[in-house]
Amino acid sequence: MMAPSQAAGSAADPDGLEDRLRRFATIWSRAVFPVTATSLTRIEVEQHLLPLARQLSESLHGRTFDPQAVQRIGAALVDAHCTDPEALSRTLGVIDSYLVLYCGSGEIEQTAEESRARCARIQHALAAGFAQGLRERTLAEQEAIARSSLQARTDAVEALHATETRFRAVFEGAAIGIGIADLEGNILEVNGTLLRMFGGLENHVRGKRVSDWSHPEDRPHVWQLHQELVKGDREHFHVEKPFFRNDGTVLWTNLTVSLLRDPDGRPQYQLALMEDTTERRLLNLRLRYEATHDALTGLPNRTLFFERLEKALAAGEGSRFGLCYLDLDGFKAINDSLGHAVGDRLLVEVADRLQSCATAPGEMVARLGGDEFVALTTGPDTESQVDELASRILAALGSPIRVDGREFTVRGSIGIVEGPAGERTAAEVLRSADITMYRAKSAGGNRFELADPEADARAITRHGLTTALPAALERGEFFIEYQPLVHLGDGTVHGAEALVRWCHPQHGVLGPDQFIPLAEHTGLIVPLGRWVLQEAVRQARYWQERHSDGGPLRINVNLSPTQLHHPGLVADTIDVLERSGLEPGALCLEVTESALIGANEDLLKPLRQLAEMGVDIALDDFGTGYSNLANLRRLPVSVLKLDRSFTQGMQRHPADPVDLKIVEGIVTLAHSLELAVTVEGVETGAQAEQLRELGCDTAQGWYYARPGPPDQLHALSMADAV
């Protein structure tokens, strides 16, 4: 006999599949042969089971699972006279223990968990096919029994003995339980199979009345169907019915009861056929539990939670629900640093604490996956109950958790959705709770937030924009507007800042503040930034070629923090300049002051390289980042761009003297460091004049022009040349 380890080794060899199938068929035949009512030898039974083993192997490894194919295998067992329920039980045991072991490798790679899950589905389908095959055989036997019973009571004496003999053969040899009772319910006759189903004690079965076999879990209509049958209003009925055995255990059956009539058509007897489905029911319950509960924590899983939530949302008028969506703060760091084993034990402890928080009627806790949990409460007063539930959850998580001698303080962020039933779908409720949970996390965590429809709408819009960004770049939905940079000394157009826009199919033209942060978050800012640089540099070169005196017209392009960290920044910039033919001195890259606060030499190195090439680096939004002015000496910048907040006070007359002093001081400092000064947000002529008097070099703002198409800048530059 092959040892298990040897079998496992051969299971990895596809060339040995036939040998492994034969070994599986041998084990299978040895298990079922003792309970098989057949004249075949065990070897012949094994030969009959071999092709069925091949079909089981194919079902285990198929790309898609075909339950009907496996059901046919169950029916084939019945055809092979394996009709004893014990044969099914033994077959399921063999599949559970040996199918993956001997047939576990195939053309399609499967994890151990996937193989076990497929194996469980195979057991379920095979049991269903066995039951169907046995039921069809039973119905055929039932007809034979009914005919024999009537014939035995109406034929001549000479035929009675032969008929009775045949009846007894069918009656006693049947693989299912058979009982005959009169119309008053007195049990007259039972076969051996039925006796064994009820524990084998004949005195506890014979002499009883049908009504003695009622059970608390009987469906309400079962006894109504029985009354209709004994009155002659119904010929038969079929139900699933439990019975109590003598030892108090429960026997579950598929019960078929038929009416037997006398030769004149009057009701005379009732015939019951019972198929023992106890083991199959337990298997179904186990599979149902595994399908609806989390394997790690034992809590209801996403499937069962959605069933409960949909039921709560479908409740009648006046019903309400409250949902808490919990995500643990910082759990990923614990998992990554201490390992999944510690993380799993932590999740089990959290699950226990959450379960203790939701014990009232109408409350439940489930694990959706990872470190995400949900708590649901239902009833007429969930407005206050859901807040109390969230508070209990946060309080339960507040106590330290000990795992392997370490103490962990677990914090959580909770999003709450509460409202009347019937207004939203389960998916909409969960999406709102998820969005709200992230608002709680963004606010610092260890708190709960209530759902806000307006905030939900904004988040959904952001998600939609984020999803649409990659395709938008491919479809050419982005375009650039240019805002002139004007020399304050003579009022000529010095250059322009390139400002990207998104022409969204549904939302219209979107400004950079609406999608640049999303592009930063997704990493799309790198290809988008390169496209902006290419288009802006190409446009600047075109302007230079058309400018009347051929002088350099500068172009300013913004760089995001993500672009600063991208290793290809310098190479991409050089490539774009060389392809366009634009001199490096005609390009100015704008970097926000906040992006350079605390910057180390590794971050400044690419900017230094670009500056050494002749590209200007502008420090954008200067004065808003609380940076140390001494840092200006080490930054490779040549231009300071003053934020518009410094010039707002100049719109009044007289101008705010404090603003004037601040701007004057900054200009003096910048010029002492040989830095040019550009001012943003110039909206009036008075502002422009004051900035010129203070020594600012260039300005931009609505006073000169709003951002617009490239032709606008060319028209302005032509006007300056006249």
Side-chain angles (χ1 to χ4, degrees):
M1 180 180 295
M2 184 183 298
S5 60
Q6 294 173 319
S10 66
D13 178 14
D15 296 332
L17 177 60
E18 190 63 25
D19 289 339
R20 287 182 278 116
L21 286 173
R22 290 185 181 280
R23 178 59 181 153
F24 178 83
T26 299
I27 295 171
W28 191 2
S29 67
R30 287 173 177 169
V32 300
F33 181 76
V35 293
T36 300
T38 178
S39 59
L40 299 176
T41 65
R42 189 201 61 79
I43 298 300
E44 290 171 334
V45 171
E46 177 182 330
Q47 292 301 315
H48 184 82
L49 294 179
L50 182 58
L52 302 184
R54 293 194 187 95
Q55 295 171 36
L56 286 175
S57 178
E58 292 169 359
S59 295
L60 180 65
H61 297 294
R63 292 186 179 274
T64 58
F65 181 68
D66 182 3
Q68 293 183 348
V70 182
Q71 289 174 10
R72 287 193 290 272
I73 298 174
L77 283 176
V78 177
D79 293 340
H81 306 289
C82 297
T83 55
D84 193 305
E86 182 66 19
L88 173 61
S89 176
R90 295 186 181 191
T91 293
L92 295 178
V94 169
I95 292 173
D96 187 64
S97 301
Y98 298 100
L99 181 60
V100 175
L101 179 65
Y102 286 99
C103 309
S105 62
E107 296 181 359
I108 300 176
E109 291 293 332
Q110 288 180 322
T111 65
E113 183 178 352
E114 289 171 343
S115 296
R116 297 306 303 169
R118 178 64 67 85
C119 185
R121 296 183 69 186
I122 287 172
Q123 293 177 68
H124 185 267
L126 188 142
F130 183 91
Q132 180 63 28
L134 194 58
R135 186 175 297 113
E136 292 173 357
R137 177 170 176 158
T138 297
L139 290 176
E141 290 176 347
Q142 177 185 347
E143 292 180 5
I145 292 168
R147 287 194 299 270
S148 297
S149 178
L150 290 175
Q151 191 72 26
R153 286 163 173 78
T154 57
D155 278 357
V157 175
E158 292 79 8
L160 181 59
H161 178 70
T163 303
E164 183 69 21
T165 301
R166 290 196 299 271
F167 170 79
R168 283 293 163 192
V170 174
F171 186 79
E172 293 297 339
I176 61 173
I178 303 173
I180 299 175
D182 61 24
L183 298 182
E184 285 71 38
N186 299 304
I187 298 174
L188 305 176
E189 196 75 35
V190 294
N191 70 349
T193 302
L194 190 142
L195 283 176
R196 289 192 295 273
M197 288 167 57
F198 278 88
L201 299 176
E202 187 170 352
N203 61 311
H204 289 290
V205 178
R206 298 185 191 275
K208 279 198 170 187
R209 294 176 59 85
V210 171
S211 57
D212 295 337
W213 280 341
S214 63
H215 190 279
E217 293 188 42
D218 284 337
R219 295 178 182 176
H221 69 288
V222 169
W223 293 102
Q224 178 183 345
L225 294 174
H226 180 259
Q227 288 300 315
E228 293 175 359
L229 181 130
V230 296
K231 290 179 180 179
D233 298 335
R234 175 181 294 275
E235 294 301 317
H236 59 82
F237 67 87
H238 177 80
V239 293
E240 184 181 33
K241 176 172 168 42
F243 295 89
F244 281 122
R245 294 190 181 98
N246 183 51
D247 59 2
T249 59
V250 177
L251 167 71
W252 279 91
T253 68
N254 275 333
L255 173 65
T256 300
V257 182
S258 300
L259 180 66
L260 301 180
R261 298 177 182 270
D262 65 15
D264 297 325
R266 291 187 298 270
Q268 189 173 20
Y269 300 102
Q270 47 184 318
L271 174 70
L273 298 105
M274 296 182 187
E275 174 195 356
D276 185 348
T277 62
T278 307
E279 290 193 12
R280 189 165 77 244
R281 181 179 176 84
L282 292 175
L283 174 62
N284 288 340
L285 290 175
R286 190 190 78 186
L287 294 174
R288 166 67 179 170
Y289 182 87
E290 292 176 352
T292 57
H293 286 76
D294 176 51
L296 176 64
T297 65
L299 290 178
N301 63 10
R302 178 182 290 268
T303 299
L304 183 54
F305 167 73
F306 264 92
E307 290 179 7
R308 298 281 180 85
L309 179 58
E310 288 171 349
K311 183 179 179 180
L313 295 176
E317 186 177 350
S319 298
R320 301 183 70 88
F321 74 96
L323 174 67
C324 296
Y325 192 116
L326 168 70
D327 183 89
L328 302 182
D329 299 333
F331 178 76
K332 185 177 186 299
I334 296 175
N335 239 6
D336 292 345
S337 60
L338 300 179
H340 290 281
V342 173
D344 286 350
R345 293 180 62 184
L346 191 64
L347 289 174
V348 170
E349 178 64 29
V350 168
D352 290 343
R353 295 190 180 190
L354 295 180
Q355 191 131 35
S356 69
C357 295
T359 57
E363 293 182 345
M364 74 168 292
V365 173
R367 182 187 179 207
L368 298 186
D371 60 336
E372 295 181 340
F373 298 84
V374 285
L376 178 67
T377 180
T378 57
D381 190 29
T382 55
E383 291 178 271
S384 60
Q385 290 173 350
V386 72
D387 287 358
E388 294 171 1
L389 179 59
S391 298
R392 291 200 302 271
I393 290 173
L394 292 179
L397 295 178
S399 303
I401 296 175
R402 291 188 63 84
V403 176
D404 290 343
R406 296 184 178 90
E407 276 198 354
F408 299 94
T409 300
V410 179
R411 291 155 45 97
S413 300
I414 299 176
I416 295 178
V417 178
E418 191 281 332
E423 293 186 354
R424 286 175 284 186
T425 66
E428 290 170 342
V429 169
L430 200 64
R431 180 174 60 181
S432 178
D434 190 17
I435 292 170
T436 307
M437 179 272 292
Y438 276 106
R439 278 203 289 116
K441 193 176 288 288
S442 299
N446 198 33
R447 59 188 291 144
F448 62 81
E449 293 283 345
L450 299 177
D452 176 5
E454 293 184 1
D456 286 0
R458 290 193 297 270
I460 292 170
T461 299
R462 285 196 302 271
H463 176 73
L465 293 178
T466 302
T467 304
L469 269 169
L473 184 59
E474 295 177 3
R475 289 195 295 260
E477 293 177 4
F478 293 98
F479 67 97
I480 299 176
E481 290 187 331
Y482 299 88
Q483 187 172 35
L485 289 160
V486 177
H487 197 287
L488 286 171
D490 56 14
T492 59
V493 176
H494 180 71
E497 180 180 359
L499 300 168
V500 65
R501 306 284 191 258
W502 182 2
C503 185
H504 193 279
Q506 283 80 41
H507 301 291
V509 176
L510 304 177
D513 59 316
Q514 295 175 278
F515 63 86
I516 289 297
L518 305 179
E520 281 269 357
H521 179 70
T522 60
L524 191 70
I525 191 66
V526 173
L528 177 59
R530 179 181 172 88
W531 177 83
V532 171
L533 180 65
Q534 289 174 330
E535 289 298 303
V537 166
R538 181 191 59 77
Q539 186 61 54
R541 180 60 180 159
Y542 177 74
W543 281 329
Q544 286 185 355
E545 292 172 351
R546 294 191 61 186
H547 202 279
S548 59
D549 59 4
L553 192 64
R554 298 163 57 80
I555 188 71
N556 284 29
V557 178
N558 291 282
L559 283 183
S560 74
T562 301
Q563 289 176 278
L564 286 176
H565 289 84
H566 191 265
L569 173 62
V570 175
D572 284 349
T573 305
I574 294 174
D575 180 64
V576 169
L577 289 172
E578 289 180 348
R579 287 176 180 274
S580 67
L582 187 72
E583 292 296 324
L587 173 63
C588 179
L589 298 177
E590 297 188 10
V591 183
T592 60
E593 180 186 21
S594 59
L596 295 182
I597 291 178
N600 56 29
E601 285 304 313
D602 289 339
L603 180 62
L604 296 178
K605 182 178 179 181
L607 293 180
R608 293 193 193 283
Q609 291 176 321
L610 291 170
E612 290 168 359
M613 289 169 44
V615 175
D616 281 328
I617 307 296
L619 197 59
D620 197 12
D621 298 335
F622 182 77
T624 63
Y626 304 101
S627 62
N628 188 339
L629 293 177
N631 282 337
L632 287 175
R633 300 184 60 182
R634 71 183 190 92
L635 299 179
V637 299
S638 53
V639 180
L640 294 186
K641 289 194 73 175
L642 281 184
D643 186 70
R644 65 181 63 246
S645 60
F646 289 104
T647 63
Q648 288 176 344
M650 297 181 187
Q651 295 180 14
R652 299 189 297 270
H653 186 76
D656 188 327
V658 175
D659 286 345
L660 291 175
K661 286 293 184 181
I662 292 175
V663 173
E664 183 180 17
I666 292 175
V667 171
T668 301
L669 173 65
H671 286 172
S672 69
L673 296 174
E674 299 182 351
L675 303 177
V677 177
T678 298
V679 186
E680 297 179 299
V682 178
E683 298 184 6
T684 67
Q687 276 181 295
E689 179 59 26
Q690 287 177 330
L691 291 169
R692 186 189 64 77
E693 292 175 357
L694 291 172
C696 295
D697 301 293
T698 54
Q700 66 185 102
W702 288 7
Y703 172 65
Y704 303 106
R706 298 192 180 197
D711 292 345
Q712 170 185 279
L713 191 83
H714 182 68
L716 288 173
S717 64
M718 290 299 100
D720 291 338
V722 174

